Amino acid sequence: MNSRSFVSIEDIGRPQIEALLDRAAFFEAHPDSRLLEGKLVATLFFEPSTRTRLSFETAVNRLGGRIIGFSDAATSSTSKGETLKDTIKMVANYADLIVMRHHLEGAARYATEVTDIPVVNAGDGANQHPSQTLLDLYSIRKTQGRLDNLTVAMVGDLKYGRTVHSLVQALRFYNPRFIFISSPELRMPEQYLQLCRDNGIEYEERSDFGADAINASDILYMTRVQRERFTDAMEYERVKNLYTLRNDMLAESKPTLRVLHPLPRINEIALDVDDNPKAYYFEQARNGVYARQAIITSALNIELPHDEH
Ligand code: CP
């Protein structure tokens, strides 16, 4: 694997996370730095996306680089039976960096094994979404002023939600307290609970979405039930509407609480929450541009201008 790829949040430690967050802060202050002139980035999206693809492409465009790629595998030669290996090797002939989303867990890791150019994982099945995690951490640090010692409630589909898996892994460095709220079918997988236990992290699992959990939290991280990961449509129907945040449920929450959601939302957050100052999910998505500018320039080993970071 080439060392500058960004495949899993597990691959980096606290110093690297914080270097990337500081780099993202630089790009928030200097969004149009022309650091990618002459560079070409390929975005290969084998699964649908709005925010991740468009924010990666915005990041490249704002940095003066160029983009090739596809947003629908049906328009690529994958539809004729070309393998992922051959697709990656072909694209590596054209681009300096690959950003890839794929439905198979491990696909991004595999891609790094068949090419020497950096690969950034834009989501692989229910496994990892490390660039989302970086923008989540950036959003948490920006709104709370720190990452340490926060109570983070995660609500909804904790089984298939790759964003919550990656976020638990990243926050293990910061002494969080987790409240995992889900139906029994969509519990946080055992490996992430074990990670908490191994790191001395306090957590509770519950199925009720009560005021005590909301009021104790610094971050309320809502998630969508991932219909595309269910093999049983009846099971999806049974759990899809279990957790909806309404504005009145925030009445007694901490003034500093922020509601995050990786989006898209279906009905996990009622529309009346959008105007509450504690709703932060649209700003969170905007932070994705800065986080992805940080990831791309770091993967391409591009130094920031001196004295500005
Ligand atoms: N948060 C996220 O991954 O959104 P998209 O699926 O729209 O890229």
Side-chain angles (χ1 to χ4, degrees), residues 213-257:
I214 295 173
N215 298 348
S217 297
D218 299 296
I219 293 292
L220 186 53
Y221 196 99
M222 302 297 298
T223 65
R224 172 179 70 92
V225 177
Q226 309 252 312
R227 186 186 51 187
E228 64 275 30
R229 314 273 176 231
F230 281 74
T231 49
D232 180 348
M234 293 294 286
E235 189 185 344
Y236 170 72
E237 288 300 319
R238 199 154 37 79
V239 296
K240 69 177 186 184
N241 289 325
L242 287 180
Y243 299 104
T244 300
L245 178 67
R246 299 183 317 275
N247 195 38
D248 61 288
M249 294 162 72
L250 296 172
E252 303 297 325
S253 60
K254 293 184 184 180
T256 50
L257 171 82

Side-chain angles (χ1 to χ4, degrees), residues 120-232:
V120 175
N121 184 4
D124 60 330
N127 186 32
Q128 279 274 329
H129 195 349
S131 68
Q132 177 73 43
T133 305
L134 198 71
L135 77 90
D136 291 343
L137 293 172
Y138 188 77
S139 299
I140 294 169
R141 192 175 80 165
K142 192 169 154 185
T143 60
Q144 306 298 314
R146 68 189 200 281
L147 289 170
D148 291 288
N149 305 320
L150 296 170
T151 297
V152 178
M154 297 181 171
V155 184
D157 186 348
L158 307 186
K159 178 178 180 183
Y160 295 115
R162 56 194 173 196
T163 63
V164 288
H165 300 163
S166 300
L167 190 55
V168 166
Q169 289 173 326
L171 284 173
R172 76 187 187 279
F173 298 119
Y174 299 98
N175 190 37
R177 176 179 166 240
F178 288 123
I179 306 173
F180 298 131
I181 302 173
S182 74
S183 64
E185 300 90 336
L186 297 180
R187 283 180 62 208
M188 183 62 77
E190 176 56 29
Q191 73 185 91
Y192 302 103
L193 302 180
Q194 185 65 46
L195 182 84
C196 291
R197 293 192 291 272
D198 289 346
N199 287 277
I201 293 168
E202 189 186 335
Y203 72 87
E204 64 175 294
E205 291 186 275
R206 51 194 287 173
S207 55
D208 70 293
F209 190 18
D212 57 329
I214 295 173
N215 298 348
S217 297
D218 299 296
I219 293 292
L220 186 53
Y221 196 99
M222 302 297 298
T223 65
R224 172 179 70 92
V225 177
Q226 309 252 312
R227 186 186 51 187
E228 64 275 30
R229 314 273 176 231
F230 281 74
T231 49
D232 180 348

Side-chain angles (χ1 to χ4, degrees), residues 48-53 101 129 132 262-264:
S49 168
T50 296
R51 275 146 296 276
T52 309
R53 185 174 67 82
R101 171 171 286 188
H129 195 349
Q132 177 73 43
L263 303 176

